[in-house]
Amino acid sequence: MTEKPIYAADAIILTEDDDKVVLIERLARLPGIALPGGKQEPGEWLSETIIREIREETGLVFVQQHVLGTYAQAGRDPRFPAVSTVFIGRGYGTLIGEPGKTRPFLVDRLMLLSYAGRYILDHEQMVRDYLQHQ
């Protein structure tokens, strides 16, 4: 019997002027560079998941504009079967991280691939897809 997948949401968060994107450095479980996001809670819509996760991980208020796509390739997360929908939108407020868990930072859109090889899971592919379709 196949294990039921975990649903998650990740986000490309643009600053108000579209020049920069928010990334996080995960410090605890599964350390590395990532798009902000996380697992869906019971009874939560994915659009609610991404707003909650962004607030927790970055302190920002997220306003969704588009969906980049859904990533569901088998083995994309070594911990469990996972399906992630990637949202694109704007972040408002002041960047703050979850103490001991995340360190958010801004990156020029054109520099997103300078972190190639350091992204967790398939977040590098998400970034490449975003850059290709913008």
Side-chain angles (χ1 to χ4, degrees):
M1 183 170 156
T2 304
E3 190 177 352
K4 184 178 177 184
I6 300 294
Y7 290 92
D10 294 298
I12 303 285
I13 306 171
L14 303 167
T15 57
E16 293 181 52
D17 58 7
D18 276 351
D19 278 356
K20 302 208 181 312
V21 175
V22 177
L23 293 178
I24 60 172
E25 181 180 6
R26 293 194 181 278
L27 304 171
R29 289 182 18 200
L30 199 62
I33 304 299
L35 297 173
K39 294 187 282 187
Q40 183 180 40
E41 297 290 333
E44 195 175 54
W45 292 95
L46 281 176
S47 57
E48 296 169 324
T49 299
I50 198 60
I51 290 168
R52 175 183 53 76
E53 287 287 345
I54 289 171
R55 186 177 56 249
E56 290 173 1
E57 294 181 352
T58 70
L60 299 177
V61 173
F62 182 68
V63 178
Q64 176 192 336
Q65 295 176 318
H66 309 287
V67 171
L68 176 64
T70 297
Y71 294 75
Q73 183 168 333
R76 66 170 291 273
D77 190 322
R79 301 168 297 173
F80 42 72
V83 175
S84 183
T85 298
V86 180
F87 295 88
I88 300 173
R90 295 205 187 290
Y92 298 93
T94 302
L95 278 178
I96 56 170
E98 279 183 284
K101 292 185 179 181
T102 62
R103 183 182 68 82
F105 59 99
L106 295 174
V107 175
D108 186 294
R109 280 192 317 173
L110 300 176
M111 297 301 293
L112 283 169
L113 290 180
S114 67
Y115 292 94
R118 294 179 54 203
Y119 286 101
I120 65 166
L121 307 174
D122 54 356
H123 288 216
E124 185 174 328
Q125 185 61 54
M126 295 171 182
V127 165
R128 288 182 185 283
D129 291 348
Y130 163 71
L131 292 171
Q132 184 178 15
H133 292 101
Q134 63 174 335

